[in-house]
Amino acid sequence: MLATLWVIITLTFFLMHSIPGSPFNEERATSEAVQKNLEEYYHLDEPLFIQYVMYLKSVVTFDFGPSIKKSSQSVNEMLGRGFPVSFELGMATLVLAVVSGLLLGVAAALRHNGLIDYIAMTVAVIGISVPNFVLATFLIQQMSVNLGILPVATWASPRHMILPVAALATGPMAIIARLTRSSMLEVLTQDYIRTAKAKGLSPFKIVFKHALKNALLPVVTIVGSLAAAILTGTFVIEKIFAIPGMGKYFVESINQRDYPVIMGTTVFYSLVLIIMLFLVDIAYGLLDPRIKLHQKGER
């Protein structure tokens, strides 16, 4: 995990500094002397390797320093304000996507090649095919502008969560539904499922106690990366709905070449992603007792 994070930090740092220009190039009123002082203040006049070492030290202490464009604010303060909002939006989206995706996938597998299967997979294909920003625009037009039953944007009440959560959850829900369906179809043909049916177990126990648990392994794999992406903020959706999450700061920092904010949000996102993938590995062992951790030399 640490090695992966170091590679991400290193690549991001050098790629970002390889782009021509400076964060102060667009400051029309900035004289050459003032620009030089600003670069000295933010250590941009130092050799690139020195900047890299200094940044590694700041990452270790989790202190990303002040923003270049908003010098009165630190990157840590921005993350502290933006991440709780993105996390709240992400958790609601994740719960909706996982629950609805699993239900659609299980229903489609149990009614394979039936009407429910066709309807569920049609919904899944639409969810995968339509980008979330297109769906968000459609929902705003229909639910807010035409019908006027839901607020357009901002983040002030539970009603403000409905449209962005719906727009964000559709894609992950479709992916989870298709994966659950294919995995369930494979598991339902296994010998132990036939044995459970022969013993007279109820369909509910067979599906949810025996089949679904083993069918969840590939689903858990994709949910880990989906969760990291959702919990750290989907930049386009947050921008469309004017949600004050991490996406706002990340988009602004890219446009303004605000190095500390770009690096801080990238490192934070990468850290969350790596932790989620680590939790996925642990979940494998919990879901399937056959998967165990062995010491070197064990068989």
Side-chain angles (χ1 to χ4, degrees):
M1 292 170 63
L2 293 176
T4 303
L5 186 61
W6 172 74
V7 170
I8 293 172
I9 292 171
T10 302
L11 290 176
T12 305
F13 180 87
F14 286 104
L15 286 173
M16 181 179 63
H17 282 80
S18 67
I19 302 174
S22 166
F24 310 110
N25 285 351
E26 297 180 358
E27 300 291 340
R28 298 176 182 176
T30 301
S31 65
E32 185 176 347
V34 172
Q35 180 171 333
K36 185 176 180 180
N37 289 334
L38 288 171
E39 290 178 350
E40 182 179 355
Y41 177 78
Y42 289 103
H43 304 287
L44 297 179
D45 60 335
E46 300 279 355
L48 192 59
F49 180 75
I50 300 299
Q51 295 183 47
Y52 171 67
V53 173
M54 293 174 62
Y55 191 75
L56 286 181
K57 292 180 180 178
S58 68
V59 170
V60 171
T61 59
F62 211 75
D63 180 11
F64 298 108
S67 166
I68 290 178
K69 294 296 182 178
K70 300 177 181 179
S71 56
S72 61
Q73 304 178 44
S74 69
V75 179
N76 291 47
E77 291 173 346
M78 292 181 177
L79 294 177
R81 286 195 303 269
F83 179 67
V85 177
S86 294
F87 184 82
E88 185 179 359
L89 172 63
M91 283 302 298
T93 301
L94 192 61
V95 170
L96 177 61
V98 171
V99 172
S100 57
L102 287 177
L103 291 177
L104 274 178
V106 171
L110 294 178
R111 296 293 184 267
H112 183 46
N113 289 332
L115 180 61
I116 295 179
D117 186 16
Y118 294 141
I119 294 175
M121 289 303 99
T122 300
V123 172
V125 169
I126 294 174
I128 294 175
S129 304
V130 179
N132 55 26
F133 60 86
V134 174
L135 181 59
T137 306
F138 174 78
L139 290 175
I140 291 173
Q141 178 67 33
Q142 298 301 320
M143 306 301 290
S144 300
V145 178
N146 294 344
L147 299 178
I149 58 178
L150 291 172
V152 177
T154 69
W155 194 255
S157 70
R159 294 180 69 245
H160 289 80
M161 298 177 62
I162 296 176
L163 291 184
V165 167
L168 271 176
T170 304
M173 176 205 68
I175 295 173
I176 293 172
R178 289 175 63 86
L179 197 56
T180 302
R181 174 183 177 272
S182 61
S183 184
M184 279 290 294
L185 288 175
E186 181 181 354
V187 170
L188 289 174
T189 62
Q190 300 296 318
D191 291 338
Y192 70 90
I193 297 296
R194 298 193 191 97
T195 303
K197 291 179 180 179
K199 289 182 177 180
L201 295 180
S202 66
F204 181 85
K205 284 187 177 181
I206 293 174
V207 172
F208 290 98
K209 186 176 180 181
H210 296 282
L212 184 58
K213 185 176 180 181
N214 291 324
L216 281 178
L217 286 176
V219 177
V220 168
T221 303
I222 192 66
V223 167
S225 56
L226 288 176
I230 293 172
L231 293 178
T232 51
T234 302
F235 309 137
V236 177
I237 293 298
E238 290 187 3
K239 193 71 174 177
I240 291 175
F241 289 98
I243 298 173
M246 288 181 62
K248 170 186 176 182
Y249 300 116
F250 189 76
V251 173
E252 290 179 353
S253 66
I254 293 293
N255 294 331
Q256 299 172 351
R257 295 179 59 88
D258 195 337
Y259 293 155
V261 179
I262 295 173
M263 291 298 298
T265 51
T266 302
V267 171
F268 188 81
Y269 172 83
S270 303
L271 184 62
V272 173
L273 176 60
I274 291 171
I275 291 175
M276 291 304 302
L277 295 179
F278 173 70
L279 294 178
V280 166
D281 286 342
I282 295 177
Y284 285 157
L286 297 177
L287 290 172
D288 191 345
R290 295 172 299 177
I291 301 176
K292 298 294 183 182
L293 296 177
H294 296 280
Q295 293 181 357
K296 186 177 181 180
E298 289 186 8
R299 292 181 179 271

